[in-house]
Amino acid sequence: MTSAVSASSPTQPSSHDALERALARATARLVRVPEAARGWADSLRELTARPGKRVRPWLCALAYEGVAHVPASEAVLDFAAGLELLHAFMLVHDDIIDGADVRRGAPALHRALETTHGTQANALALLGGDALFVAAVDAMARAAVPADRMRDALAVVLEGARQAAVGEMLDVSYARQPLTSLSSARLADVLRLKTAGYTFVAPLVAGAVLAGASASTRRALTQFGQRVGLAFQLADDLLDIYGDAAQLGKPVGGDLREGKRTVFARLLAARASPDDARRFLALLDGRAADAGDLEWVRELGRRSGVASELAARVRTFIAAGERCLDRAALDANAATQLRGLARKVAASVSFLESGS
């Protein structure tokens, strides 16, 4: 559920330190456990304190400020902190599903717990994810905002989380199916469910709801989030093949080695020559591609036109999202920052569109 495309903005809508304090308040309740569970609980708190982009709480606070025209209050940041805990919950479970070793520059939770709990680590990490989910909902429900707005914003966030779970289920299920049996439309559904709704739509609309936004503003932000979210994940898939590991902060080629069914992979299999398609499908299903294989896939993506087509599609989604943003009636600062975020996504893969 993570993405390699940086979604940070050069200017935070609210104090970064204030958001971190809100996150610390929310996670403090995680360690209210018997002494025998203290080490486990401390591992959860350490995970949430690791440096991250904080995209979801940032978007929530920014949308609030764009509608309310005032800085996000401590109560709004408390709600936004719940979004970060919800994300941590999903990351813990996602890392177990993927067998990931590293999360934010340190061992993934299930790996960290192996040193003290051995074969019980996965079970304890799953339970840790459950605890983070409870902490997330608790943080949002405790936020000192009007009850009706809190209820409606929480409903938006939980619907985004539900969609993400469905998207992850489809992603896992599709990994066992022949790539050629999956349409690009079905694969795009995974992007919409896993990324667009959960990462963009839910935080933006929740923040707007907390500020008392009109139905037209909520609708415009939903449409903006859907389009930018699709672009965001398409760009992430491209950068997993064509990106630079040092800039991304993670190895490239992971999707190829994991046999992930992406829109890039589906189009490449469809556009390649029969011989190239057979070789590509064998690499994808073999789940053991090396650096030479990755370079061959890069060249094939360029030669077939798939890389440039998807990069152009990213730009098209971003342009459509910006048109939606025009109807959101946000203040100038919030609108500018959201445009900056969207254009950064498009710029991240523009080198493929130009064929360089």
Side-chain angles (χ1 to χ4, degrees):
M1 297 178 190
T2 58
S3 179
V5 183
S6 175
S8 60
S9 176
T11 305
Q12 293 289 343
S14 302
S15 165
H16 176 268
D17 290 342
L19 178 58
E20 292 301 312
R21 287 194 296 272
L23 186 58
R25 285 194 297 274
T27 55
R29 289 187 285 275
L30 283 171
V31 297
R32 295 176 184 172
V33 296
E35 184 63 33
R38 185 61 55 82
W40 170 81
D42 285 343
S43 295
L44 300 180
R45 187 164 61 173
E46 185 276 328
L47 174 68
T48 63
R50 292 178 189 174
K53 293 186 287 288
R54 311 290 195 239
V55 176
R56 293 154 193 85
W58 178 80
L59 288 173
C60 180
L62 183 61
Y64 175 89
E65 294 179 0
V67 173
H69 304 278
V70 295
S73 65
E74 182 176 285
V76 171
L77 293 177
D78 283 339
F79 186 97
L83 291 171
E84 186 65 20
L85 291 177
L86 183 67
H87 185 50
F89 144 67
M90 291 193 171
L91 291 179
V92 168
H93 286 197
D94 200 42
D95 285 345
I96 294 171
I97 292 170
D98 293 342
D101 295 324
V102 176
R103 173 60 60 190
R104 293 180 174 172
L109 182 63
H110 64 289
R111 297 298 187 214
L113 291 171
E114 282 179 348
T115 61
T116 53
H117 294 86
T119 58
Q120 294 180 312
N122 277 12
L124 293 178
L126 283 171
L127 294 170
D130 294 344
L132 287 165
F133 177 81
V134 173
V137 176
D138 184 53
M140 290 183 277
R142 284 175 180 267
V145 296
D148 57 337
R149 294 184 183 182
M150 182 273 291
R151 181 196 62 230
D152 292 347
L154 184 56
V156 167
V157 170
L158 292 179
E159 173 59 18
R162 186 195 68 80
Q163 290 181 11
V166 174
E168 180 71 7
M169 184 281 296
L170 291 175
D171 200 19
V172 171
S173 174
Y174 289 168
R176 309 294 296 182
Q177 299 182 32
L179 177 63
T180 52
S181 72
L182 301 170
S183 67
S184 293
R186 289 174 69 185
L187 295 172
D189 278 342
V190 175
L191 309 187
R192 177 178 57 82
L193 291 165
K194 280 186 62 173
T195 301
Y198 160 65
T199 299
F200 289 90
V201 175
L204 286 167
V205 175
V209 167
L210 291 174
S214 67
S216 61
T217 292
R218 296 196 301 270
R219 185 163 53 250
L221 286 174
T222 296
Q223 294 167 347
F224 170 79
Q226 288 171 339
R227 286 155 180 79
V228 174
L230 287 171
F232 186 82
Q233 191 59 55
L234 282 176
D236 184 59
D237 291 346
L238 285 170
L239 290 176
D240 187 76
I241 300 295
Y242 294 99
D244 177 80
Q247 292 181 353
L248 297 177
K250 70 171 187 177
V252 294
D255 289 351
L256 182 62
R257 289 187 294 273
E258 294 169 17
K260 286 185 72 70
R261 275 46 178 157
T262 64
V263 173
F264 173 83
R266 183 66 185 88
L267 288 178
L268 195 61
R271 302 282 176 81
S273 69
D275 286 345
D276 283 341
R278 279 191 292 271
R279 179 180 173 184
F280 174 67
L281 290 172
L283 283 174
L284 195 68
D285 292 337
R287 291 167 167 75
D290 60 22
D293 295 325
L294 177 60
E295 189 54 44
W296 178 80
V297 170
R298 286 173 172 164
E299 191 277 330
L300 181 61
R302 289 192 175 97
R303 176 159 43 88
S304 65
V306 170
S308 60
E309 178 182 329
L310 288 182
R313 196 178 298 183
V314 168
R315 178 169 50 83
T316 298
F317 277 132
I318 292 301
E322 289 197 59
R323 290 193 294 272
C324 296
L325 191 61
D326 290 337
R327 302 191 293 272
L330 301 180
D331 73 11
N333 177 61
T336 297
Q337 293 203 58
L338 287 175
R339 288 183 193 282
L341 164 62
R343 292 174 184 177
K344 189 174 184 179
V345 173
S348 70
V349 292
S350 61
F351 69 97
L352 292 170
E353 197 175 355
S354 66
S356 59

